[in-house]
Amino acid sequence: MFSFNNEVYLGNVSGLQKWSNEGLQDLKVGDKVFPDTLVYVVPISESRILLGFKNSHPQWFDGKSLLPFNLEKGDRLLNKYPYDAIRVNDSTIAIAAVYGGVFFYNLEGKLLKIFNENSGAKTTGVYDLFLDHESSLWLGTSEYIQKLMINNPVLKYGEESGIDDYVSKITRNGETLLFSRFDGNIHYSFMSQENTIEFREFTNRGEIYQWGDSTIIYNSKTSNISNFSGSKILESDLYLTFENFDEPMVFSFLSNSGIVHKKDKSMKRILVDSNLNLKSFSQGIIIDGNYYLLNSNIGLYKLAGDSLKSIDFNKSSSRNIRYNNLTVINNNIFVSIEGSVGKSGISGIYKYNLKTDSLEKSEFFGRLDSEFVENQVTVMKQCPNGDIWFQNAYKIKRVYQQEGTWKVKSAPYNLIGEGSAIYSIICDGENVWFGGVNGLYQLTNPDWDYKTDFKTNITGIYVNNDSLIYGGFGEPVKDIVLPYEDNELRFTYAAASYIDPERNTYSYKLEGFDRDWSEWSLETQKDYTNIPEGDYVFKIRSRNVYEVDGRDDQISFSVLPPWYRTWWAYVLYLILVTVVFYSIYKVRVNQLLKVERMRTKIASDLHDEVSATLTGISYFAEAVRRDKNKAKREHFISLITESAGDAKEKITDIVWSINPDNDDWGMFLSKCRRYASDLLESKDIKYELKIADKIPGKLPMEIRQHLWMIYKEMLTNAVRHSNASRLDVIMDVDGRYLKLIVQDDGQGFDSENQNGGNGVFNIKRRAEAINATLEIDSESGFGTRWRLVLPL
């Protein structure tokens, strides 16, 4: 189906139909009907299109009439079954044939060339054609997808053209291009009937040399020198050819017996001393027809008569130098050198000074491009139009004049050599040929520039190098927001430049993470690990083989913070800090209150325990002073003594109970044992003490004081009021409880009716203060048993 002039057409096996409101209608143009099955449509302009048919020649169609499009060798095309067609530029149409490759025609029907297996196609059958944005033609075949850079001025002839080895030298003989391979085989090119350059292997083996406008061939096995047609020219050992410095028509070569010099149609041999080893030389230049400048890998020499003189630019004995190429440029002699002298690099281009027989570093090329100074130049050649071609740092460079200024251009020629060595360059009219490691290259338009726009694409984003979260198709459906545990990302990317995609380079930057753009590299992916939380933009830019920058691509994403750095976590932290500070405040307040309570308690204890005793002492002293009766005075004095001792004991107990050094069960238990034994032995009461040796943990001051006063009150009451003859004390730990049992065999008392006693009241009050359980088991005439249980 296709549309033309706002009409819709449908091609089928019976011809052409047109769509209208009434449906599909068979279409006739005047009295003519469409010949047969429509197989391709090529839009040419708004006023006409080209319609191709299965078994008939194509027709021009303007919506009203049909005009034949007469193709050169059109019957041959029909026999190969045309299947698809496309317009590849303003003046050229490509037609794919199922059995014949791709036929290229201009708009007048002239056959320009055929691309088939003889000219580099991987297979003959081509079904589909597609022209991309870089003007590369893609062929869809039954077995392959093949790319054909028809609008690119660099044409490569390699393995598909039968050239499967290095091309070491190129020459031209009339319309024929010859080149020799490293294996010694010689190939030549010719224009086939399909207007396509084809290559054949030459019958002779050997080396090829340019002889004026012709080629000569040297066969090392026979030592014969012949022309292209095979006629013998000279029997000699051939080692090199010469460029003429001042007479363009002079050709010379070096042999065992000397230098053979040919000018126009005459030949002259200049004999050289046979002791000279001339075989090591590979290039030479004739100067003034009298002497010769000879180049080898190890040095540059001047040959005059039978004298061979070394031309050295540095007399240092420590050298590692290679002399690559000797040639004439702008009527000056130049030699390219690579290597070092001592620790200094000397690579670059040097000019030969005729007057001083010395080499001088060429400032001219260094000013044009620093790489001419810093890196090796393997081959250089000046064309008749003045352009100078180099391979420098494995790049093909063109030095040319524009508006009186010398300029350097290299990017448009980056496909030549493909980053490998070039050994030979020749100029052929508008074409420049290059031979090297990867084959033969033809440059048809040196002024060509790549001007196509292309895009850089982010093709994938992977989490933890595994899970694909974005596949590179359009914008993400929703914002990319990643949890913190997914902060290891891999970005993959590519450039939509397919001239030589393996040599596209990339530079990236993660905005919000990277400070600057990365260096250019061939890597097509970038990994980031441990990306902090935040908002980011990954940016990628590309540069194709012609060093043209594509349009950037970018994608935004966010990494969430870990849970412990989220807003709600900070709220929890605030609450926790508030609780901590509040707890500290509460502890501080409690400590202050504890101190205050301690002060109050000490005051209360002093008041309760000591104040009444001291008051009694005061009253007794007043009575002693007032009463004149000696016996009474002695009685009051004894009461004072007893009360003072009692007050001292109470004060000692209070001081002991508040001393923090006594926060230890061991000291408390020891004090209990000592007090009981002293008291009971002083009253001659039999006793048995079962007090534990050790109780784990600390003994708080408040519990210590109350427990001590309870213990002391129980023993004191038993001694003073029970008239007991025996008393037993048990103090031990049962699980998480302290048990205190004080039992006597005295007279007992009625515990139900004895509630007003000071001793019993104090014991009960203190037991409640420390959350202890108190049991009293006493009956008149049967003794008393105290049982206290204190949670630890």
Side-chain angles (χ1 to χ4, degrees):
M1 294 182 66
F2 65 95
S3 62
F4 178 63
N5 288 341
N6 298 320
E7 301 286 353
V8 178
Y9 298 87
L10 174 66
N12 55 39
V13 293
S14 61
L16 194 66
Q17 293 178 308
K18 180 179 179 181
W19 174 262
S20 67
N21 291 335
E22 289 75 27
L24 286 172
Q25 296 179 344
D26 292 334
L27 185 64
K28 292 183 178 181
V29 178
D31 295 332
K32 297 181 180 180
V33 296
F34 285 86
D36 58 18
T37 304
L38 182 69
V39 291
Y40 60 82
V41 178
V42 183
I44 300 298
S45 67
E46 293 183 357
S47 60
R48 65 172 182 165
I49 60 175
L50 182 65
L51 304 180
F53 302 94
K54 180 178 179 181
N55 300 305
S56 307
H57 290 285
Q59 303 276 330
W60 292 114
F61 178 55
D62 61 3
K64 297 179 180 179
S65 60
L66 287 172
L67 294 174
F69 182 36
N70 297 317
L71 299 178
E72 182 182 349
K73 298 185 180 179
D75 292 337
R76 180 180 177 184
L77 172 62
L78 288 178
N79 291 334
K80 299 297 183 181
Y81 196 174
Y83 203 80
D84 193 16
I86 194 170
R87 186 176 182 181
V88 295
N89 56 41
D90 291 342
S91 60
T92 306
I93 296 172
I95 303 175
V98 173
Y99 304 114
V102 182
F103 291 69
F104 292 89
Y105 289 93
N106 65 17
L107 296 183
E108 286 71 44
K110 178 178 175 58
L111 178 64
L112 303 177
K113 63 179 179 179
I114 300 176
F115 182 69
N116 52 28
E117 289 180 321
N118 293 329
S119 52
K122 291 185 177 181
T123 181
T124 299
V126 181
Y127 292 85
D128 296 287
L129 300 174
F130 173 75
L131 190 71
D132 69 13
H133 60 288
E134 294 180 296
S135 297
S136 294
L137 185 63
W138 295 80
L139 316 181
T141 74
S142 58
E143 300 178 53
Y144 305 97
I145 297 292
Q146 186 170 358
K147 178 179 63 178
L148 186 60
M149 294 188 292
I150 57 171
N151 291 325
N152 191 300
V154 177
L155 304 177
K156 177 185 176 182
Y157 305 98
E159 198 170 327
E160 68 279 356
S161 301
I163 305 173
D164 53 0
D165 199 358
Y166 297 1
V167 174
S168 59
K169 190 174 291 187
I170 312 170
T171 66
R172 173 164 286 284
N173 191 83
E175 296 297 320
T176 303
L177 184 78
L178 290 93
F179 59 94
S180 59
R181 306 188 315 186
F182 270 21
D183 61 7
N185 290 321
I186 302 172
H187 283 65
Y188 66 96
S189 68
F190 64 93
M191 190 66 68
S192 68
Q193 291 184 350
E194 288 81 14
N195 294 326
T196 299
I197 293 179
E198 294 189 7
F199 299 90
R200 294 288 186 269
E201 190 168 336
F202 201 63
T203 54
N204 290 341
R205 290 172 55 89
E207 293 291 335
I208 55 175
Y209 301 95
Q210 194 71 38
W211 186 297
D213 293 332
S214 303
T215 296
I216 63 168
I217 300 169
Y218 166 66
N219 191 316
S220 59
K221 289 186 177 180
T222 62
S223 297
N224 287 338
I225 300 172
S226 60
N227 59 23
F228 180 62
S229 63
S231 301
K232 183 186 295 185
I233 298 176
L234 183 72
E235 292 186 8
S236 178
D237 293 326
L238 180 69
Y239 300 113
L240 81 162
T241 58
F242 290 87
E243 292 189 39
N244 185 40
F245 180 58
D246 52 358
E247 299 180 56
M249 294 305 294
V250 174
F251 171 78
S252 303
F253 55 89
L254 188 68
S255 69
N256 278 339
S257 56
I259 297 172
V260 178
H261 180 97
K262 178 179 183 294
K263 183 175 182 181
D264 297 330
K265 296 182 179 180
S266 63
M267 184 180 298
K268 178 183 179 182
R269 183 190 301 274
I270 303 174
L271 296 179
V272 180
D273 188 342
S274 59
N275 293 324
L276 293 178
N277 182 14
L278 302 180
K279 292 184 178 181
S280 63
F281 298 101
S282 58
Q283 291 177 293
I285 290 179
I286 306 170
I287 301 173
D288 296 334
N290 296 318
Y291 68 92
Y292 304 84
L293 202 62
L294 308 179
N295 182 37
S296 72
N297 287 338
I298 61 172
L300 189 66
Y301 297 84
K302 178 181 177 181
L303 176 64
D306 59 358
S307 174
L308 193 64
K309 175 185 177 183
S310 173
I311 299 172
D312 201 351
F313 62 94
N314 192 300
K315 302 302 181 182
S316 171
S317 59
S318 174
R319 66 175 73 190
N320 181 19
I321 305 172
R322 179 183 177 89
Y323 294 76
N324 286 328
N325 194 239
L326 178 69
T327 190
V328 177
I329 297 176
N330 294 337
N331 293 322
N332 289 288
I333 301 171
F334 291 91
V335 60
S336 62
I337 297 174
E338 63 173 295
S340 60
V341 174
K343 295 184 179 180
S344 301
I346 60 167
S347 296
I349 301 175
Y350 290 79
K351 179 181 177 182
Y352 173 62
N353 190 317
L354 292 170
K355 295 181 179 179
T356 62
D357 270 348
S358 61
L359 295 176
E360 302 167 353
K361 197 67 172 282
S362 172
E363 296 182 359
F364 170 71
F365 295 107
R367 288 194 300 267
L368 291 176
D369 187 343
S370 62
E371 281 192 339
F372 282 125
V373 177
E374 298 168 359
N375 296 290
Q376 64 172 324
V377 174
T378 52
V379 63
M380 49 189 177
K381 178 74 173 179
Q382 185 168 32
C383 292
N385 65 358
D387 289 356
I388 310 168
W389 293 91
F390 299 85
Q391 188 182 47
N392 173 217
Y394 292 103
K395 296 179 182 177
I396 295 297
K397 295 183 177 181
R398 173 192 176 202
V399 177
Y400 62 102
Q401 272 196 323
Q402 187 177 70
E403 298 177 354
T405 302
W406 286 97
K407 295 187 177 182
V408 178
K409 181 184 289 188
S410 63
Y413 318 119
N414 281 348
L415 285 183
I416 301 173
E418 301 169 271
S420 297
I422 291 293
Y423 301 114
S424 181
I425 303 174
I426 70 165
C427 307
D428 177 29
E430 295 295 325
N431 297 319
V432 184
W433 294 85
F434 303 83
V437 170
N438 294 320
L440 186 67
Y441 300 86
Q442 179 187 9
L443 177 63
T444 60
N445 180 13
D447 294 322
W448 174 83
D449 263 321
Y450 177 92
K451 298 178 181 179
T452 304
D453 183 30
F454 64 93
K455 190 178 185 301
T456 316
N457 298 291
I458 298 171
T459 58
I461 303 178
Y462 298 83
V463 171
N464 299 323
N465 297 336
D466 183 11
S467 301
L468 179 70
I469 61 172
Y470 171 68
F473 300 100
E475 295 298 321
V477 177
K478 57 183 180 180
D479 294 340
I480 299 176
V481 180
L482 303 172
Y484 188 74
E485 56 268 23
D486 291 340
N487 66 347
E488 294 189 8
L489 298 179
R490 168 173 291 176
F491 296 90
T492 59
Y493 36 83
S497 177
Y498 309 110
I499 301 296
D500 191 354
E502 298 299 323
R503 293 169 68 188
N504 292 338
T505 56
Y506 303 89
S507 176
Y508 56 82
K509 179 182 180 183
L510 182 57
E511 205 166 77
F513 187 88
D514 294 327
R515 180 176 298 178
D516 298 309
W517 286 89
S518 71
E519 297 293 329
W520 292 96
S521 77
L522 296 171
E523 292 295 326
T524 57
Q525 67 180 40
K526 171 60 181 174
D527 293 336
Y528 285 95
T529 59
N530 297 323
I531 303 174
E533 65 268 22
D535 299 324
Y536 300 93
V537 180
F538 180 74
K539 296 182 176 181
I540 184 68
R541 58 187 182 183
S542 64
R543 182 171 290 170
N544 71 0
V545 66
Y546 297 124
E547 300 176 22
V548 174
D549 291 348
R551 286 178 282 131
D552 297 356
D553 196 11
Q554 66 180 44
I555 194 166
S556 303
F557 66 96
S558 300
V559 176
L560 297 177
W563 67 266
Y564 50 84
R565 286 205 291 263
T566 56
W567 66 267
W568 54 267
Y570 286 116
V571 171
L572 289 179
Y573 298 152
L574 180 61
I575 294 173
L576 181 60
V577 170
T578 302
V579 169
V580 170
F581 277 105
Y582 180 73
S583 300
I584 294 172
Y585 166 77
K586 289 291 292 182
V587 169
R588 179 61 179 160
V589 170
N590 288 337
Q591 287 177 338
L592 294 174
L593 292 176
K594 185 177 181 180
V595 172
E596 187 63 28
R597 286 195 298 269
M598 184 183 297
R599 290 173 178 173
T600 303
K601 185 175 183 304
I602 293 172
S604 176
D605 288 345
L606 288 174
H607 180 271
D608 294 344
E609 302 291 338
V610 182
S611 178
T613 303
L614 294 178
T615 300
I617 291 174
S618 176
Y619 289 154
F620 295 150
E622 181 65 25
V624 170
R625 187 179 62 80
R626 187 179 61 248
D627 201 329
K628 303 298 183 183
N629 188 301
K630 183 178 179 180
K632 289 184 177 181
R633 290 176 65 184
E634 291 291 336
H635 173 68
F636 287 130
I637 289 172
S638 66
L639 290 176
I640 289 173
T641 301
E642 184 180 350
S643 297
D646 187 38
K648 177 185 176 184
E649 184 180 354
K650 290 178 178 179
I651 291 174
T652 299
D653 288 340
I654 293 172
V655 172
W656 177 85
S657 64
I658 65 175
N659 188 350
D661 293 337
N662 298 321
D663 290 350
D664 183 81
W665 279 103
M667 295 184 67
F668 178 79
L669 297 174
S670 177
K671 183 177 177 65
C672 290
R673 281 191 293 269
R674 186 170 60 252
Y675 177 79
S677 60
D678 290 346
L679 177 63
L680 295 174
E681 288 176 3
S682 68
K683 299 300 182 181
D684 199 22
I685 298 175
K686 295 179 181 181
Y687 64 92
E688 183 177 0
L689 302 179
K690 295 181 180 179
I691 299 176
D693 293 327
K694 184 178 180 181
I695 296 177
K698 287 287 185 180
L699 179 58
M701 179 193 70
E702 187 174 358
I703 293 178
R704 182 174 70 244
Q705 184 183 15
H706 285 298
L707 188 58
W708 170 250
M709 297 305 294
I710 291 172
Y711 176 78
K712 185 178 177 182
E713 190 71 37
M714 288 179 177
L715 265 63
T716 302
N717 282 347
V719 170
R720 288 181 179 177
H721 306 297
S722 68
N723 294 323
S725 60
R726 180 180 177 83
L727 189 141
D728 295 318
V729 177
I730 300 173
M731 186 182 297
D732 203 353
V733 176
D734 183 8
R736 296 175 58 189
Y737 297 92
L738 174 72
K739 293 191 304 180
L740 173 61
I741 299 174
V742 178
Q743 181 173 312
D744 65 67
D745 61 353
Q747 62 186 9
F749 64 93
D750 187 355
S751 59
E752 293 183 2
N753 296 323
Q754 188 71 20
N755 294 325
N758 246 359
V760 176
F761 176 77
N762 285 336
I763 290 172
K764 289 182 176 180
R765 179 174 61 83
R766 290 184 183 278
E768 291 177 0
I770 60 176
N771 295 320
T773 303
L774 180 67
E775 295 179 2
I776 306 172
D777 187 9
S778 181
E779 188 176 347
S780 297
F782 292 96
T784 303
R785 184 177 185 270
W786 297 86
R787 186 176 185 274
L788 181 83
V789 179
L790 173 67
L792 295 178

